[in-house]
Amino acid sequence: MSSVRHRKPYRASPASVPSQKSDTETNDERRDNLAENPFVPVLKVLLLLIVINFLVSYYITSTFFWNNDFRLLRPRYRSFVLLKTLHRTGIPELAQSALLQVLPKSSPIFASTFFSFTFPRVFSDATLALYDGSDPDLPIYVGLNGSVYDVTESDRTYGPGGPYHHFAGRDAARAFVTGCFTTDLTHDLRGLDPVAAGKDIAGWKAFFEKSARYWYVGDVIHEPIAGSPPGECQGPKRYGD
Ligand code: HEM
Ligand SMILES: *[C@@H]1O[C@H](CO)[C@@H](O)[C@H](O)[C@H]1NC(C)=O
């Protein structure tokens, strides 16, 4: 093949100025090679689909990328949105009750993501604790004054050994306010300035909700708070201090 030859940069030296003819030949050859390449039509279709995607998005949302929700580039988030949308239709519940007629309830099919999915999902402190990253097959969740966020995309920050692992699998709202990552790992906000705490928590909630990596999955319903609130922070106040 002559691909090597016509990849040579076109540099006319005074000694060998190419004639008009050979120039045309090179263009023809290039066109032939492009037509032969089986990837070119695939690439054209792909480009067209991308452009159509932007146009459809603009038509529906007035933004070129689906309300600028770049989480949609993440496969896990796309599955989440798909499941959420499907469950809104009630079809999975219908399918489940139909299947219940013919399959025993112990069938593993009922434990599948498709059927066990709910939104918003309700956690207890104990069920939330399962999602601290110690089971690599489960997502990582962070609780924040009752709201639960999926932070699996930052497993190196929140997973075992990560600098913010102490926030995983629990609602440590108090530590989000105080920065005390030892004795304040609780949702107990008693004793804190309510206005300042409210601002901090609202700020962190906005951080998780607006992030391009995280998303809200549900709520954690806590046991009633018993005992006295944490006092002065014990141990290093912040990670790395
Ligand atoms: C009230 C005090 C603090 C709170 C509640 C807090 C909380 C957090 C959280 C939740 C993240 C993860 C953000 C994400 O998901 O991308 C983070 C990241 C980080 N924080 Fe803090 N932080 C505090 C103070 C500090 C201090 C004092 C330092 C400096 C030593 C620090 C250094 C960092 C660093 C370096 C990261 C990036 C970690 C990474 O992505 O691997 N933080 N912080
Ligand atoms: C935390 O959650 C409780 C219960 O839902 C709510 O009453 C309170 O206002 C929240 N506090 C802050 C600081 O957001």
Side-chain angles (χ1 to χ4, degrees):
M1 288 290 275
S2 55
S3 57
V4 174
R5 178 155 46 90
H6 68 234
R7 259 195 217 126
K8 246 184 216 162
Y10 176 74
R11 205 177 284 129
S13 72
S16 65
V17 177
S19 70
Q20 194 57 44
K21 191 169 175 290
S22 72
D23 205 9
T24 330
E25 265 172 14
T26 313
N27 281 336
D28 284 348
E29 260 179 78
R30 193 172 291 137
R31 215 169 294 128
D32 285 352
N33 265 13
L34 275 181
E36 276 165 30
N37 192 329
F39 289 109
V40 169
V42 175
L43 223 88
K44 276 183 183 164
V45 170
L46 218 70
L47 266 167
L48 191 72
L49 284 176
I50 289 169
V51 170
I52 288 173
N53 171 50
F54 287 144
L55 292 180
V56 172
S57 167
Y58 193 78
Y59 180 75
I60 294 174
T61 68
S62 303
T63 63
F64 281 109
F65 190 79
W66 305 105
N67 281 323
N68 298 328
D69 191 352
F70 292 99
R71 291 175 297 193
L72 285 166
L73 295 173
R74 297 172 191 275
R76 288 185 57 260
Y77 184 65
R78 286 201 300 273
S79 312
F80 171 76
V81 171
L82 196 72
L83 281 172
K84 201 166 94 171
T85 311
L86 250 163
H87 274 259
R88 207 176 286 145
T89 66
I91 290 167
E93 286 77 8
L94 271 176
Q96 184 161 9
S97 54
L99 281 172
L100 255 178
Q101 311 299 315
V102 288
L103 290 174
K105 209 171 177 194
S106 58
S107 162
I109 204 166
F110 293 112
S112 75
T113 319
F114 182 74
F115 285 124
S116 61
F117 183 91
T118 52
F119 182 83
R121 190 165 162 194
V122 178
F123 299 85
S124 65
D125 290 305
T127 54
L128 183 59
L130 300 174
Y131 300 91
D132 69 347
S134 46
D135 184 342
D137 294 330
L138 292 180
I140 307 177
Y141 294 150
V142 160
L144 185 50
N145 197 39
S147 303
V148 178
Y149 301 95
D150 187 311
V151 298
T152 319
E153 305 284 307
S154 292
D155 55 347
R156 277 184 297 180
T157 299
Y158 296 102
Y164 286 94
H165 181 52
H166 52 260
F167 282 138
R170 54 151 67 100
D171 182 342
R174 190 186 187 90
F176 273 98
V177 176
T178 64
C180 170
F181 300 155
T182 48
T183 47
D184 277 355
L185 296 174
T186 166
H187 62 277
D188 183 353
L189 301 175
R190 290 175 302 164
L192 300 179
D193 171 0
V195 176
K199 272 189 191 155
D200 284 346
I201 285 173
W204 279 109
K205 282 193 173 184
F207 168 78
F208 286 111
E209 270 150 35
K210 295 199 174 92
S211 161
R213 287 169 300 182
Y214 312 138
W215 52 92
Y216 166 78
V217 291
D219 305 294
V220 49
I221 310 295
H222 298 296
E223 300 288 318
I225 292 168
S228 45
E232 194 65 9
C233 186
Q234 304 297 311
K237 192 156 165 65
R238 287 184 184 123
Y239 178 81
D241 274 14

